[in-house]
Amino acid sequence: MAVGNGGLAPTGRRRQSVTIKHVAADAGVSLQTVSRVINNGPNVRPAMKERVQASIDKLGYVPSIAAQRMSGSRSYLILAINDRDRTIADWRAREGRDWIDQMLLGGMLTAAERGYRMIFELVDTHSDHVERELGAAIAALRPDGIIVTPPHSENLQITDLLAESGIPFARIGSKEEGPGIAITMGDEYLAALATDHLIELGHKRIGLIAGPDEYSLAGWRIDGWCEAMGRAGLSVDGLCVKGDFGFESGIAAANSLLDRPDPPTAIIASNDQMALATLQVARERGLAVPEDMSLISFDNSPVVRFTDPPLTAVEQPIAATVSRAVEMLIDARTHAPPAEPVQIQGELVVRRSTGPARVDGR
């Protein structure tokens, strides 16, 4: 009796891989025309581009990045770098931070839409190793563009090294003059937006737990908070305490603010970890949120939706920012970099951790 193959279709001859030659033959055009369409080259009529794209879709052709790299000076790779020690510490802590996830979401999807790939690389950005580490990554990958994240986006050793390489790069979280494309997420605006929300709820003593000085965005958030408080004629004296974006520093900062003779009725924490710490301190002191104290966080990572109560939070547009950085780096060959920093604006997501100030002034 013949032995079957479990209901599977006959294996037969292995399906031949679709190449650029098959696309050219199907579309009735030259190999050069297909190549220009794939690489978004100039001088291709819209009708011809549609014709070639129809053949690509019909045949299921996937351009080879290796072949693309051999055909010209482009590598079709965008390199995003993050600090090795900080990133690994965040991953091991498993505390719900999603900065990297959002970077990959925005960058990888946009790169793929443009026929590129985004590679994420962890680099030891300490001064003793940065030149070797970053130089090795650039030499190995030969990227068409590089994305640098804070606080390294304002590290002169890093930005000078990138400028010398001649590779276009984007500095996220930077407004400093210098080489590269400066991109911010509107931190002053977002801090002011959060403060205005609390002022509209009747709060007059609004504390801020700021980030460390090595991050310029920490200072921008202080500026936005101060500006909003000033517009409302409210004092900020003694209401700002700095942390290091870690949970324990948030505990210390929240206790410092709430130990004041006239403690704040609302607190804005500059990231989710310090906001979670503040929520814990409030509970330990018998303070109900938001009945006794309102609380707003920056970041809006997934964890703040599941606290009790869910936290009102500033949504940082990380994915949109990295997406825009990828677009500008890909276009850098044909477009001059913007003269001013590019700002990608986020929003305030209101949940149940903010409410009216108590009528007794607390």
Side-chain angles (χ1 to χ4, degrees):
M1 184 174 69
V3 179
N5 64 356
L8 298 176
T11 55
R13 186 167 57 88
R14 184 178 179 180
R15 186 172 179 265
Q16 186 180 18
S17 297
V18 177
T19 69
I20 191 171
K21 291 181 180 179
H22 295 105
V23 175
D26 188 80
V29 299
S30 68
L31 292 174
Q32 290 80 3
T33 298
V34 178
S35 179
R36 285 199 299 271
V37 171
I38 292 170
N39 296 316
N40 294 311
N43 305 320
V44 181
R45 298 191 308 274
M48 182 62 71
K49 187 172 184 178
E50 289 180 9
R51 181 168 154 189
V52 172
Q53 188 60 52
S55 292
I56 289 173
D57 295 341
K58 170 183 161 186
L59 298 173
Y61 173 66
V62 178
S64 162
I65 287 184
Q68 287 177 306
R69 294 181 73 162
M70 291 175 63
S71 68
S73 59
R74 283 184 285 182
S75 68
Y76 296 90
L77 294 177
I78 301 296
L79 173 62
I81 63 172
N82 226 49
D83 181 75
R84 176 183 290 122
D85 289 348
R86 292 171 187 268
T87 304
I88 291 175
D90 285 349
W91 284 342
R92 285 177 171 162
R94 303 184 71 181
E95 292 174 339
R97 297 179 179 91
D98 68 342
W99 171 275
I100 302 300
D101 293 348
Q102 292 299 309
M103 277 187 68
L104 297 177
L105 171 65
M108 295 180 76
L109 292 181
T110 301
E113 288 170 1
R114 300 287 297 270
Y116 280 67
R117 298 292 184 270
M118 188 179 88
I119 305 296
F120 180 74
E121 187 81 6
L122 297 181
V123 173
D124 186 346
T125 49
H126 296 103
S127 59
D128 292 343
H129 307 289
V130 64
E131 187 169 346
R132 184 188 70 233
E133 291 268 343
L134 192 51
I138 291 172
L141 297 169
R142 295 186 294 118
D144 290 335
I146 298 174
I147 297 172
V148 192
T149 56
H152 313 302
S153 49
E154 293 188 329
N155 181 321
L156 290 179
Q157 187 177 15
I158 293 174
T159 56
D160 286 349
L161 181 63
L162 294 177
E164 289 172 8
S165 74
I167 299 173
F169 65 96
R171 299 180 281 120
I172 293 178
S174 175
K175 294 191 290 186
E176 294 290 326
E177 292 184 2
I181 302 167
I183 310 177
T184 77
M185 291 183 274
D187 292 272
E188 299 104 320
Y189 165 80
L190 293 172
L193 185 66
T195 308
D196 285 337
H197 172 66
L198 294 169
I199 292 171
E200 289 168 3
L201 289 171
H203 295 276
K204 300 184 185 304
R205 296 191 303 281
I206 301 170
L208 175 68
I209 301 178
D213 292 336
E214 66 178 306
Y215 289 82
S216 290
L217 58 84
W220 302 335
R221 292 172 187 176
I222 293 174
D223 292 343
W225 167 71
C226 285
E227 181 183 344
M229 294 287 279
R231 283 198 307 265
L234 300 176
S235 172
V236 298
D237 290 346
L239 289 173
C240 179
V241 179
K242 293 181 180 179
D244 63 9
F245 289 140
F247 186 87
E248 293 303 323
S249 75
I251 293 281
N255 277 316
S256 177
L257 286 171
L258 294 173
D259 281 341
R260 288 175 52 87
D262 52 348
T265 63
I267 292 176
I268 301 169
S270 285
N271 79 331
D272 287 340
Q273 295 304 311
M274 296 193 297
L276 294 174
T278 303
L279 185 62
Q280 177 175 307
V281 169
R283 283 187 179 142
E284 290 172 352
R285 290 169 174 257
L287 298 175
V289 175
E291 292 81 5
D292 299 318
M293 185 193 80
S294 286
L295 178 60
I296 294 181
S297 178
F298 261 81
D299 287 348
N300 196 35
S301 59
V303 67
V304 302
R305 290 178 291 166
F306 304 110
T307 56
D308 183 20
L311 299 186
T312 294
V314 170
E315 170 80 41
Q316 289 196 99
I318 300 167
T321 301
V322 177
S323 172
R324 184 73 181 110
V326 168
E327 289 179 342
M328 290 190 290
L329 290 172
I330 292 174
D331 293 336
R333 286 172 171 257
T334 55
H335 295 73
E340 299 293 330
V342 176
Q343 179 172 300
I344 311 297
Q345 207 150 278
E347 61 181 352
L348 181 69
V349 180
V350 178
R351 299 191 181 95
R352 293 194 286 111
S353 67
T354 51
R358 282 173 45 166
V359 294
D360 60 4
R362 261 216 42 82

